[in-house]
Structure formats: structure tokens, C-alpha cells
Amino acid sequence: TDIAADDAGLAPTDIAADDAGLAPTDIKSERDPEEGTAPVVDPEEGTAPVVDPEEGTAPVVDPEEGTAPVVTSFDAVVAAAVRAASEGGGGVLLVRHADRDPFTPAMTTKQRDGLRLNAAGTARAKAYGERLAVQAAGSGAVLSSPAHRCVETVRQLCPGRAVEKCGEVIIAPSRRSRDHAVFAVAQERLGYDAAVEAWLMDALPDIERSIADRVDAALAFLAARQAPGDPPLLVCAHDLSILAVCQRYGSRRPGDRAVPFLGGVFLPDALLQAAGAAGTGSVPAR
């Protein structure tokens, strides 16, 4: 999903996607290409403005107990996982990668896709990993978008543990898909932010897969890896993936199109299993 982009990238016609590693033609939010970072448009592909997505300013909100997933801080996500584990439950900690440097207009798609954590991001992920170890949350499997920044993030958060790279956690369209091409056209016509908003709202004409279908398929994949009561599963992806999950459950605030570095959501067992049932049989096609 982020194909190489960090965020999953939806890149406009290759958005770089920081997050998700989605490459540009991978919508990525996180506005990290892979991340899904905002549209960083490939300078060679047109004249759409280059926006550094990740530095989103979306507010971090602490979710209330029992509500749909809401983007919150890493510490709050961990606290929710610890609380669930203390009650005999499990779930998924879905977080965005740590800090990376901003994209620049001169960067090629390959350079954006290969952008790694910067020194601040590495240090922050390492510090958070020390807290994670103390609180014993996220003791289960570790999954990551294949994007370098995501893999580097989980290796700092969970040193010594095996990391499984899986594109299934990237919910945005891959750059090779028809939906990504549709998004790319929308970005050139509307601008990145408006195109992301339209994608999240299922308002882009000719898109083949709805947000609900994409999210249900991705969560079905995670649910199959996580039986009720298993230790929490840590998953590092891009902001577009996280925003899509919130949109699916009606908890994305209007206008939110970015997720802070290391921000994310906690998905408890009940939600994960219900989503898994809804998505059974769906293939998280990119």
C-alpha cells in the first residue's frame, strides 16, 4: 500500500507515499507515500503542487472508552492495549511510523519511497520502545508495511523481535491498481487534500473498491492472525491506513487528512473479530 512509499502512497501520479510505502501511485496517506503522505507529486509528472503530507496538524485526541477508534498518541494507544490485556483481551495497536524528513520538489519517486527515519524519528521510536517493554504491551507478533521507515520504526519499538513485512496492512490503492490511477487524476484536478478527502468519503467516481471493503479486508487479515485473548498485535503502517479505519467506523473528524508520527489507534478484540467476519473472503487487493 504504501508501496514503497512510506505511507502507502498514493502518490499522485506517483505520490511518493511516504507512508505506507505506497508509492505514488499508491495513495498513501501518512501522507507519506507510504505513508500516504500527501501528495507529493512527482515533479516530472505534471505541475501539481508538492505538499509534505506528514507534518499533519491533525489534533491528537484521546479516545473515550468503548468508542470507535480515534487517532490518539502512542502512549494512549499503548495504555488502551494494556487495559485490554489486564481484562483478558487483546487487539491490535495500529500506529504510523516515526519521524522522517519532509519531501522536497526535487526528489524522485524512488528517493521519496526510500526515505528512512531521521535521527529524531529513530531516537523517538527507541524511547517509545523502552516504555513499551516496561508496560508489556504489544508482546505479540510484529507486523509492518514493507516501507523502510515502517520497518525501522518497529525494529526500534521492539528490538530483537521478528518483523513480518506485509502489504496487507496498506489500505490505500497500490500504484499499479486502477483505483490508484483514478486517485491520481483526482489529485491533479482537485489537489491532494481534496482528493484524499474524496477518497475517504467514497466520493471519487469510478473507484472500484469502497473504504469499507478495503478496511474490512485488511482487518480480516489481522483478525485471522489474532485470536481473542492473544497478546496485542503491533502493526506499523501509514496514515492513510489509519484514517481509512477511522472513516470506516465513523470516528474520523471532518478534514482530518494526516496522522502524527507514531500516532495511531487501538482496535480491541471485539471490533477486530466483527470486522474480520465482515471482511472474510475479501482479498486486500492493492
Side-chain angles (χ1 to χ4, degrees):
T1 150
D2 250 18
I3 254 190
D6 173 21
D7 248 29
L10 265 169
T13 17
D14 230 303
I15 254 181
D18 168 29
D19 256 16
L22 264 174
T25 37
D26 236 323
I27 239 185
K28 255 194 143 213
S29 155
E30 245 158 5
R31 283 178 144 219
D32 219 12
E34 297 189 273
E35 269 156 344
T37 232
V40 169
V41 171
D42 208 303
E44 306 166 18
E45 321 261 351
T47 57
V50 175
V51 177
D52 196 351
E54 289 172 340
E55 332 259 346
T57 55
V60 175
V61 177
D62 247 347
E64 297 176 8
E65 304 265 358
T67 61
V70 174
V71 174
T72 189
S73 66
F74 184 84
D75 283 339
V77 173
V78 172
V82 169
R83 187 162 54 245
S86 71
E87 297 170 353
V92 168
L93 297 84
L94 175 61
V95 300
R96 185 188 178 190
H97 57 78
D99 315 42
R100 61 161 176 78
D101 289 335
F103 296 132
T104 67
M107 281 183 174
T108 63
T109 296
K110 184 175 181 179
Q111 289 173 325
R112 289 194 300 269
D113 288 354
L115 200 58
R116 297 172 179 268
L117 298 185
N118 56 25
T122 299
R124 208 150 70 93
K126 181 178 181 180
Y128 278 43
E130 292 170 353
R131 300 213 290 273
L132 187 65
V134 169
Q135 298 192 53
S139 57
V142 180
L143 275 59
S144 172
S145 155
H148 292 307
R149 37 193 174 281
C150 292
V151 175
E152 290 174 339
T153 296
V154 293
R155 283 180 176 158
Q156 292 297 328
L157 290 174
C158 307
R161 286 168 60 186
V163 177
E164 182 178 345
K165 303 174 187 178
C166 30
E168 289 86 350
V169 303
I170 299 173
I171 295 174
S174 76
R175 67 181 75 183
R176 290 176 293 276
S177 69
R178 180 179 180 281
D179 280 0
H180 183 280
V182 172
F183 178 84
V185 170
Q187 184 189 314
E188 292 178 355
R189 183 168 53 88
L190 306 172
Y192 181 81
D193 284 351
V196 167
E197 184 69 18
W199 177 71
L200 290 169
M201 296 295 292
D202 286 330
L204 289 180
D206 303 321
I207 283 285
E208 296 179 339
R209 299 194 67 188
S210 67
I211 290 297
D213 181 43
R214 286 181 173 280
V215 171
D216 288 349
L219 296 194
F221 168 79
L222 294 178
R225 307 290 303 273
Q226 188 76 348
D230 280 354
L233 177 71
L234 177 64
V235 179
C236 184
H238 307 274
D239 59 355
L240 280 187
S241 295
I242 296 167
L243 290 171
V245 169
C246 292
Q247 178 66 30
R248 172 71 175 96
Y249 291 98
S251 55
R252 183 181 70 94
R253 290 173 298 254
D256 280 3
R257 289 181 293 275
V259 173
F261 293 120
L262 285 171
V265 295
F266 177 68
L267 308 175
D269 278 340
L271 182 151
L272 194 64
Q273 296 306 314
T280 299
S282 289
V283 177
R286 302 301 333 253

